[in-house]
Amino acid sequence: MGIIRKTKSVKILLNEFSADSTAISVTTLIERLSSEMNKTTVYRILDKLEDDGFLHSFLGKNGHKWYAKCNNCSKSKHYDTHAHFQCLNCGKVDCLTTNFTIPEIPNRRVDVFQLLVQGSCEDCLV
Amino acid sequence: MGIIRKTKSVKILLNEFSADSTAISVTTLIERLSSEMNKTTVYRILDKLEDDGFLHSFLGKNGHKWYAKCNNCSKSKHYDTHAHFQCLNCGKVDCLTTNFTIPEIPNRRVDVFQLLVQGSCEDCLV
DNA sequence: TTTTTTTTTGCAATTTAGTTGCATTATTTT
DNA sequence: AAAATAATGCAACTAAATTGCAAAAAAAAA
């Protein structure tokens, strides 16, 4: 699919991810932008931004969707071999720069994996 | 909370996990046991069996809940340092016996993690 | 065993994330 | 400017999970 038109809504959403590389949950975006666009639009644009390799998505601990900016992704391939870290204290979620390698598993072929790490972030560590 | 009474419904559910150690999704259980108990009961009993350390839960790729038998868990502590493997071919999900160690992450304290690996299981590998 | 207390269950209603169809509006192409 | 195409809003819908409450079942007390 991919983004075709740079509409007002697309620009607003892109802007949300321009600040830092912290991940944002879909529900947060829907609430934050409720006066500017419909939730359906949020879902659809995020979907396309992911297809375009500008964002990538993953599921938080409760199974809800989060999005974050991509660093080295393209239309054809998402480099999702990184983990996501959720701070149990402040709730902030971000991408870890560490690239994980999943060890070989006997008699199985590993295609993809999803790793969500939870703990305390640098700001919340005493 | 924990299990207090060994009711008929509890026995039926325990029985579902007695066979092998393959994980079962909540929706599968609800459908499979629809003639024997209400879905609310399924949710509630699974919840208690997890509290009791008999089952542990995790989220599948779509964010839906799965349960599997515990091996070394107790009421107070779940030894969830293992990954779950979902076969993209047959859909089967099971616990990997390999215990993963998440490497140290600079300036962060890691408390828990969730690792879902997807690929091809031993039965589905040619 | 019978009565009383407490827990469990079923049912219906509710919540919430996410999706879909369709008419309207905006953007791009001609 | 007109025509073609894509994006948006809205309402309705789907599905997983939760909640309140009355009825039923299990355990404890008598």
Side-chain angles (χ1 to χ4, degrees):
Chain A
M1 199 188 273
I3 288 290
I4 313 208
R5 298 179 182 182
K6 279 234 169 175
T7 62
K8 191 176 136 213
S9 302
V10 171
K11 282 173 196 159
I12 292 170
L13 262 168
L14 282 174
N15 191 54
E16 291 294 321
F17 289 96
S18 67
D20 51 23
S21 59
T22 300
I24 316 176
S25 75
V26 177
T27 45
T28 301
L29 282 169
I30 288 172
E31 196 184 12
R32 190 184 290 170
L33 304 175
S34 61
S35 60
E36 304 179 76
M37 73 188 76
N38 190 273
K39 69 168 177 171
T40 313
T41 307
V42 176
Y43 278 113
R44 287 195 276 227
I45 293 179
L46 290 174
D47 219 50
K48 290 182 189 172
L49 288 173
E50 183 169 27
D51 276 353
D52 260 20
F54 187 81
L55 297 177
H56 64 273
S57 71
F58 57 94
L59 299 178
K61 192 76 174 182
N62 51 10
H64 297 165
K65 219 167 185 180
W66 290 69
Y67 281 87
K69 220 188 319 185
C70 283
N71 282 318
N72 297 305
C73 300
S74 69
K75 259 193 178 101
S76 52
K77 174 143 180 53
H78 277 289
Y79 293 92
D80 281 344
T81 58
H82 64 270
H84 295 98
F85 187 91
Q86 180 160 37
C87 179
L88 291 169
N89 186 254
C90 67
K92 193 173 72 179
V93 178
D94 41 26
C95 303
L96 292 176
T97 47
T98 321
N99 259 43
F100 288 90
T101 313
I102 298 296
E104 292 285 317
I105 301 165
N107 304 317
R108 286 192 175 84
R109 189 189 66 234
V110 174
D111 293 332
V112 286
F113 66 89
Q114 187 188 307
L115 176 58
L116 182 67
V117 185
Q118 290 189 306
S120 204
C121 75
E122 43 198 344
D123 296 334
C124 291
L125 274 179
V126 276
Chain B
M1 198 188 271
I3 288 288
I4 312 206
R5 297 181 183 185
K6 280 234 171 176
T7 62
K8 191 177 136 214
S9 303
V10 170
K11 283 174 197 158
I12 292 170
L13 260 167
L14 283 174
N15 192 53
E16 290 295 319
F17 289 95
S18 67
D20 50 23
S21 59
T22 300
I24 317 176
S25 75
V26 177
T27 44
T28 300
L29 282 169
I30 288 173
E31 196 185 12
R32 190 184 290 170
L33 303 175
S34 62
S35 60
E36 303 179 77
M37 73 189 76
N38 190 274
K39 66 170 177 172
T40 313
T41 307
V42 175
Y43 279 112
R44 287 194 276 227
I45 293 179
L46 290 173
D47 219 50
K48 290 183 188 170
L49 288 173
E50 183 168 27
D51 277 353
D52 261 21
F54 186 82
L55 297 178
H56 64 272
S57 71
F58 57 93
L59 300 177
K61 191 75 174 183
N62 52 8
H64 296 165
K65 219 166 185 182
W66 290 70
Y67 282 87
K69 220 190 316 188
C70 284
N71 282 318
N72 296 306
C73 300
S74 70
K75 258 193 179 98
S76 52
K77 176 144 178 52
H78 277 288
Y79 294 92
D80 281 344
T81 58
H82 65 269
H84 295 98
F85 187 90
Q86 180 160 39
C87 179
L88 293 168
N89 185 254
C90 69
K92 194 174 72 179
V93 177
D94 41 27
C95 303
L96 293 175
T97 48
T98 321
N99 259 43
F100 287 90
T101 313
I102 297 297
E104 292 285 317
I105 302 166
N107 304 317
R108 286 191 175 85
R109 191 190 65 235
V110 174
D111 293 333
V112 286
F113 66 88
Q114 187 188 309
L115 177 57
L116 181 68
V117 185
Q118 291 189 305
S120 204
C121 75
E122 44 197 343
D123 296 333
C124 291
L125 274 179
V126 275

